[in-house]
Amino acid sequence: MSESIELLRLFESDSRMNKFQDLFKQLICFLSEENIEYLIIGTVAYSEYAPSRATTNINFMISKSDCCKLESVLKEHGIDFIWNAYQQLIIAVKDDSDETKKYPLELSFQITPQGLTFNQPIPKEIFGMADVPVASIEDLVALGCLAVINGNSKSYYDAQMMIKLQLADVDKCVAVIESLHESNANKALRSILTGNAIYVDTINIDEALIMPFELNQTHEEIELAKAHRYNAAQEHRRQLYEGIPNPLSL
């Protein structure tokens, strides 16, 4: 059995998925009531355009000021959250079983990068909630390239796959990236378009990312390889979650 299938089964095991869906719906209602603008990004957004894959996280993007407002709403309703080292606000579905606690179900919020102007979001239905705004494919590519430059190497695979599958308009991707302030995200995009791995200040792409000879891999082969990397990434994330200060208070 592939690791992706195992993750999917854990994601749906016991009552965790119901709790996760309920929390998602509750948060969508909060955001609407408080007039907090948001976009769904990350794997869930990716799966709206490309072949879907298992995930244990739904990632939102909102403004810094709205993040402050969201903190107040969560505290008012007694919903626990933390800030991690990537400056993401994390809400986790708690589970004490030995099997499932290895894969925490999470809703995460991150602050919109300075200067980023989103294209028209795509309304989707998620967990029975209609018209949930999902980032456009070009925005996802731009965010992936930005994440690579900021040290999140696995985002390279997502951005590369969206372009490889010809889902994204490259010119629009460039336009979004050029709107970012003080960003070298165009370096990651150039690497993808040319098929040449590059070096950047924060990570060694030659060692961490897909190389040109791997571009002939099928989507399934790449996804399987990513599933193997997932366990190591989860362990690293867990180590970051404790004792991280709130970036809004800095």
Side-chain angles (χ1 to χ4, degrees), residues 1 39 43 104 115 209:
M1 181 187 300
L39 279 178
T43 298
L209 304 176

Side-chain angles (χ1 to χ4, degrees), residues 125-184:
E125 180 177 325
I126 301 177
F127 293 154
M129 301 293 286
D131 298 326
V132 177
V134 173
S136 72
I137 199 75
E138 288 79 21
D139 290 332
L140 294 176
V141 170
L143 289 171
C145 291
L146 180 63
V148 172
I149 297 303
N150 289 336
N152 187 352
S153 60
K154 78 181 185 70
S155 295
Y156 189 94
Y157 296 96
D158 289 344
Q160 183 192 57
M161 185 58 68
M162 292 179 224
I163 291 176
K164 183 179 178 183
L165 294 178
Q166 298 182 337
L167 300 173
D169 183 298
V170 173
D171 290 338
K172 290 181 180 179
C173 293
V174 172
V176 176
I177 287 175
E178 288 181 345
S179 72
L180 300 173
H181 294 178
E182 300 179 1
S183 167
N184 288 321

Side-chain angles (χ1 to χ4, degrees), residues 13 22 56 64 80-81 83 106 113 117 128 134 140 149 157 175 179-180 184 220 225 230 233:
S13 65
D22 290 343
T56 58
K64 185 173 183 178
D80 294 331
F81 63 89
W83 286 91
E106 298 168 347
T117 302
V134 173
L140 294 176
I149 297 303
Y157 296 96
S179 72
L180 300 173
N184 288 321
E220 290 75 15
Y230 183 85

Side-chain angles (χ1 to χ4, degrees), residues 42-243:
T43 298
V44 170
Y46 172 91
S47 296
E48 291 292 335
Y49 301 100
S52 61
R53 62 176 185 252
T55 181
T56 58
N57 176 276
I58 296 180
N59 193 262
F60 297 74
M61 180 161 279
I62 58 179
S63 69
K64 185 173 183 178
S65 59
D66 280 342
C67 247
C68 295
K69 188 187 297 186
L70 178 62
E71 275 195 314
S72 298
V73 171
L74 296 177
K75 290 176 181 177
E76 179 183 344
H77 289 83
I79 297 177
D80 294 331
F81 63 89
I82 61 169
W83 286 91
N84 69 9
Y86 300 114
Q87 297 191 357
Q88 294 174 321
L89 186 156
I90 305 292
I91 305 169
V93 175
K94 296 180 179 179
D95 189 285
D96 296 326
S97 70
D98 290 337
E99 180 185 43
T100 57
K101 69 182 180 182
K102 293 165 50 181
Y103 303 102
L105 300 182
E106 298 168 347
L107 296 157
S108 62
F109 292 78
Q110 64 190 66
I111 297 170
T112 304
Q114 186 178 10
L116 182 62
T117 302
F118 286 110
N119 294 313
Q120 188 67 30
I122 311 299
K124 300 285 186 177
E125 180 177 325
I126 301 177
F127 293 154
M129 301 293 286
D131 298 326
V132 177
V134 173
S136 72
I137 199 75
E138 288 79 21
D139 290 332
L140 294 176
V141 170
L143 289 171
C145 291
L146 180 63
V148 172
I149 297 303
N150 289 336
N152 187 352
S153 60
K154 78 181 185 70
S155 295
Y156 189 94
Y157 296 96
D158 289 344
Q160 183 192 57
M161 185 58 68
M162 292 179 224
I163 291 176
K164 183 179 178 183
L165 294 178
Q166 298 182 337
L167 300 173
D169 183 298
V170 173
D171 290 338
K172 290 181 180 179
C173 293
V174 172
V176 176
I177 287 175
E178 288 181 345
S179 72
L180 300 173
H181 294 178
E182 300 179 1
S183 167
N184 288 321
N186 60 322
K187 289 183 179 180
L189 180 60
R190 190 181 308 121
S191 169
I192 293 169
L193 296 176
T194 60
N196 295 319
I198 61 173
Y199 285 89
V200 294
D201 293 337
T202 52
I203 58 172
N204 180 343
I205 293 185
D206 267 347
E207 295 178 355
L209 304 176
I210 288 180
M211 300 297 291
F213 68 85
E214 295 183 272
L215 295 176
N216 293 325
Q217 286 181 305
T218 66
H219 176 78
E220 290 75 15
E221 289 171 336
I222 292 175
E223 288 298 304
L224 182 59
K226 289 171 66 176
H228 285 292
R229 298 184 184 96
Y230 183 85
N231 286 336
Q234 282 293 90
E235 177 61 28
H236 179 62
R237 289 172 62 194
R238 285 197 298 273
Q239 293 174 1
L240 292 171
Y241 286 167
E242 297 181 1

